[in-house]
Amino acid sequence: MAWWMVGRRGRRVRGLLVAASLLWLAAGPGLAQEVGEQPDIRVIIDVSGSMKEHDPNQLGTSALELLVSLLPGGVSAGVWTFGERVDNPLPLGRVDAEWRRQALALAPALVEYQQFTDIEAALREAATPDPNGGRHLVLLTDGMIDLPPARGAKPGVDRASRLALLDDLAPRLASEGVAVHGVAFSEEADLALVERLSQLTGGLPAMVETPESLLGAFLDIFERIFPTDQVPFEQGRFIIDPDVESFSALLFHDPDGEPLSLIAPDGTVYRADDRPEGSHWQVEPRFDLIRIPDPQPGEWRLEGEAGGDSRISVVAPLRLHTGGLPATLYLGFPLPLEVWLERDGEPLVEGVDEIVMDVQLYDAEGSVQAAVRLEERDGRFVGVLPAPALTGNARLELHAEGEDFHRQRIQAVNVLPAIGARHDPRADRVVLAAEHPRLDRDNTELSGELQGETLEAEAVAPRRWHLPLPELDDAISRPLLLTARVTLDGETREIRLPRLLLNPDASTGLDLADMAGPTLAGERFDENLDPDLERGGEEESLAAADRFVALVNALPRRAMELWQEGRPGLERLAESHGRDPRLWVGVTLAVVLLLVLLLLIRRRRRWRRVVHREEPHV
């Protein structure tokens, strides 16, 4: 059980989130800029009985408080709850002070637990009302589809609902421009379903394990719905240009840290108890929120320690705009980019040739995966970001810089394999499924290489393939190299897919990554699986979901490659020299040293994750 679910500390953190909610309400629209197009935000909260076990400190209530406080005034929003039935305690309405009051009064409804979990009905009902603009469904759940036995024999009735959700409802919502952002509250949730729904509809998925990650997930979602311009904040300094009408500084810090101070360009020192007239400065144990209207142009400095996730958001007539940035990127596929500037709603033309525009893709560890400098063409900045190299959570950062002008945009993304693969040892084959929406059996050929032997995959459905394997020794793990030959838009190219380690438990027992992807992550290959269902193209069985997000990037990429490359070679060497005790000793020592190295790296990465989770994410 995650630490944020436990007793007094859980209540303390929940209090932090409530305080944050009230803080945002007191501060007004917070970090969000004025919204041009008015989207509908529909919050859908799981109140099934399992929430009582998985959310004893009512994090769902805190989530609602935080969500409604982040909403900019004037947008349309509503709240739905679901268990066995679906309720709409707060219908769609314009967000204002009265709407917020009603939303915050819904807390008792979130602990009226129901026995079952009907995710399909909840999404269908919440998506139904006519939208004022684009629709964004924010699904908060801790479980899997679990329908009453009166609806039909189980598990068949649950499986049918899951398939209808993925094969019928999600594609229809996507065609209507509806995005589903799925937030899973526990490891018991159907993580593959959450990720697949988000992938199909252009939303963001998130697995929430701590209140900080909950805050980060919501801010990621809201920054996709309501993009916000920021200025770079580096080494406690940021530059405000003369056009900025106001800025908001969200500064994270250690609970025991010294009070923060801001130093204006003219040298004036501002503190929480001595701030500019008309400003707002709220101090909380883990962060300060500061809003400064009509700020002095020039370099501002922070005195005190602020966390790396701190941000400075600005409101100004000059704003960044981008072509549609997808929420999901795919290995092997570069990303075309188009960016432009607008002043008071009109495209900026004069002086654009003096602006430098860069884009970087950072992985979850903060390392740059890909980068590109955009070229200016007729007032627009265009370029192609190289394909990402690692799966998992990532972020796109866009930086624009000119004379007396600094802006940036940050967007969270999810990186998936273009083709997902899973080993089905029962049938001596690898099952492959297209994750990229444009790939199918008409434009994609798949093959594998196993110990020098080339294996060809056979299409068994429009977006699914089987790759037969020779008989394997279960005691030996082997890397399978996979290649996709893809023809799109008249161009044919080869994409090297991530390696798939066959029989990984036989090698080390370390939780090595596979490349299942959300399409395959919910499948279990066992004797009870209906073979017709397994061959059913986009169909997926309702089995306990594998935690895809936790599996990817479990070890550093190079360490994984070294092990995958080295282990079979060591085994072949040992087999050919089995009677030489000196070689056996050498091989054994090499293996032990490599295992120790991998375990130390893995422990260090876990420690870094724990430290990272202790800091609020924005």
Side-chain angles (χ1 to χ4, degrees):
M1 181 175 291
W3 65 262
W4 54 268
M5 290 184 175
V6 180
R8 181 170 55 189
R9 191 172 185 185
R11 289 192 293 273
R12 184 185 70 188
V13 176
R14 180 173 179 271
L16 169 64
L17 289 179
V18 174
S21 303
L22 298 177
L23 164 62
W24 289 107
L25 285 171
L31 301 179
Q33 293 174 309
E34 181 180 353
V35 180
E37 181 180 338
Q38 300 292 324
D40 281 350
I41 313 299
R42 294 118 188 264
V43 184
I44 310 167
I45 302 177
D46 189 341
V47 294
S48 60
S50 58
M51 288 287 285
K52 186 175 183 179
E53 174 187 353
H54 296 144
D55 188 20
N57 296 295
Q58 301 176 25
L59 193 63
T61 301
S62 298
L64 175 63
E65 293 165 341
L66 185 59
L67 280 164
V68 299
S69 63
L70 286 172
L71 286 168
V75 302
S76 180
V79 178
W80 282 256
T81 61
F82 71 96
E84 181 175 356
R85 67 179 188 275
V86 181
D87 297 312
N88 182 201
L90 184 58
L92 280 173
R94 183 180 177 86
V95 174
D96 55 18
E98 176 59 21
W99 188 95
R100 297 181 197 275
R101 186 193 64 78
Q102 294 180 34
L104 293 175
L106 293 179
L110 304 186
V111 293
E112 294 177 356
Y113 300 114
Q114 301 172 28
Q115 185 173 359
F116 296 99
T117 309
D118 194 343
I119 297 176
E120 179 193 357
L123 288 176
R124 288 188 184 277
E125 291 197 27
T128 298
D130 294 335
N132 298 321
R135 279 172 286 175
H136 292 266
L137 311 185
V138 182
L139 172 66
L140 311 175
T141 182
D142 80 319
M144 306 174 72
I145 293 175
D146 180 20
L147 302 181
R151 300 269 294 272
K154 298 170 78 69
V157 63
D158 298 334
R159 179 183 297 122
S161 177
R162 192 177 193 272
L163 294 178
L165 190 54
L166 293 175
D167 294 347
D168 173 46
L169 181 59
R172 178 169 65 80
L173 292 178
S175 69
E176 297 173 359
V178 180
V180 178
H181 308 278
V183 180
F185 271 5
S186 86
E187 295 182 3
E188 300 300 319
D190 190 341
L191 302 180
L193 176 64
V194 167
E195 189 170 33
R196 184 69 170 151
L197 283 172
S198 299
Q199 178 200 13
L200 289 172
T201 61
L204 273 178
M207 168 63 192
V208 172
E209 294 180 316
T210 66
E212 289 82 7
S213 61
L214 173 68
L215 175 61
F218 291 161
L219 289 178
D220 285 344
I221 290 170
F222 272 77
E223 284 190 343
R224 290 207 67 88
I225 302 173
F226 310 110
T228 304
D229 282 2
Q230 302 174 23
V231 295
F233 179 56
E234 298 173 351
Q235 297 181 343
R237 300 170 183 264
F238 58 96
I239 296 175
I240 297 296
D241 61 76
D243 265 358
V244 171
E245 298 172 350
S246 67
F247 73 77
S248 297
L250 183 58
L251 306 172
F252 293 100
H253 53 73
D254 187 88
D256 300 322
E258 294 295 322
L260 301 180
S261 301
L262 273 181
I263 302 177
D266 65 358
T268 304
V269 179
Y270 298 117
R271 300 180 179 85
D273 56 358
D274 183 15
R275 59 185 187 271
E277 183 179 354
S279 66
H280 177 89
W281 193 316
Q282 182 73 31
V283 178
E284 292 296 327
R286 292 182 180 271
F287 63 86
D288 283 18
L289 177 64
I290 309 164
R291 292 182 76 222
I292 306 291
D294 193 22
Q296 296 178 30
E299 183 181 81
W300 289 69
R301 293 185 293 118
L302 175 72
E303 281 193 350
E305 295 293 329
D309 291 320
S310 300
R311 61 182 63 193
I312 312 294
S313 300
V314 297
V315 175
L318 188 62
R319 293 191 62 191
L320 284 170
H321 289 266
T322 66
L325 293 177
T328 302
L329 306 183
Y330 297 92
L331 297 185
F333 283 82
L335 176 66
L337 295 165
E338 182 179 21
V339 183
W340 66 97
L341 289 160
E342 290 186 1
R343 180 180 292 278
D344 296 323
E346 295 295 327
L348 183 69
V349 177
E350 184 178 354
V352 292
D353 56 340
E354 299 176 0
I355 295 174
V356 176
M357 197 86 68
D358 296 294
V359 180
Q360 293 86 30
L361 178 68
Y362 292 87
D363 61 24
E365 300 296 327
S367 300
V368 177
Q369 278 201 44
V372 63
R373 172 159 292 183
L374 305 184
E375 297 181 0
E376 187 269 325
R377 296 178 186 172
D378 300 325
R380 301 270 173 137
F381 295 84
V382 297
V384 177
L385 184 73
L390 298 174
T391 58
N393 297 327
R395 71 180 190 274
L396 276 170
E397 291 195 6
L398 166 66
H399 298 267
E401 184 173 349
E403 186 177 359
D404 294 329
F405 172 78
H406 303 267
R407 292 288 187 277
Q408 66 182 25
R409 281 277 180 94
I410 300 176
Q411 295 276 268
V413 294
N414 191 32
V415 183
L416 294 176
I419 301 288
R422 286 198 69 187
H423 182 202
D424 180 3
R426 177 180 58 84
D428 291 326
R429 67 189 178 197
V430 170
V431 178
L432 303 111
E435 299 294 345
H436 193 287
R438 296 188 63 191
L439 300 187
D440 56 38
R441 64 183 176 189
D442 295 328
N443 58 27
T444 304
E445 298 176 1
L446 299 174
S447 61
E449 181 181 337
L450 183 64
Q451 294 181 315
E453 179 183 357
T454 299
L455 308 173
E456 299 294 335
E458 176 188 2
V460 295
R463 292 167 54 82
R464 184 172 294 227
W465 298 260
H466 287 167
L467 189 146
L469 297 173
E471 185 175 349
L472 300 174
D473 184 347
D474 294 341
I476 300 176
S477 67
R478 296 175 174 85
L480 174 66
L481 309 182
L482 295 166
T483 301
R485 184 177 175 85
V486 176
T487 302
L488 287 176
D489 303 321
E491 178 185 354
T492 300
R493 58 195 178 101
E494 284 193 353
I495 300 174
R496 296 299 295 258
L497 304 176
R499 298 173 179 223
L500 179 65
L501 191 64
L502 307 178
N503 301 324
D505 293 338
S507 63
T508 64
L510 296 177
D511 191 20
L512 292 177
D514 65 15
M515 47 173 293
T519 299
L520 293 174
E523 294 191 9
R524 175 184 294 160
F525 303 123
D526 57 33
E527 299 296 336
N528 298 321
L529 185 64
D530 181 353
D532 293 331
L533 178 62
E534 183 185 335
R535 292 192 294 268
E538 295 303 300
E539 296 179 346
E540 301 179 57
S541 67
L542 179 62
D546 295 335
R547 188 177 177 185
F548 172 72
V549 176
L551 289 177
V552 296
N553 299 324
L555 287 174
R557 184 181 174 202
R558 183 56 184 156
M560 185 189 300
E561 290 179 354
L562 286 172
W563 173 250
Q564 291 173 350
E565 291 171 355
R567 172 61 189 257
L570 288 174
E571 287 167 339
R572 289 194 297 272
L573 189 63
E575 290 171 357
S576 62
H577 298 79
R579 297 181 179 179
D580 188 344
R582 291 171 300 176
L583 184 58
W584 271 112
V585 171
V587 169
T588 301
L589 287 175
V591 170
V592 169
L593 288 173
L594 182 57
L595 287 176
V596 170
L597 175 63
L598 292 178
L599 287 171
L600 288 174
I601 293 173
R602 181 176 174 83
R603 177 173 295 181
R604 181 173 182 268
R605 286 169 61 91
R606 283 179 172 172
W607 178 83
R608 289 179 61 189
R609 289 193 186 100
V610 170
V611 172
H612 186 58
R613 288 170 180 164
E614 289 288 334
E615 299 177 358
H617 294 281
V618 181

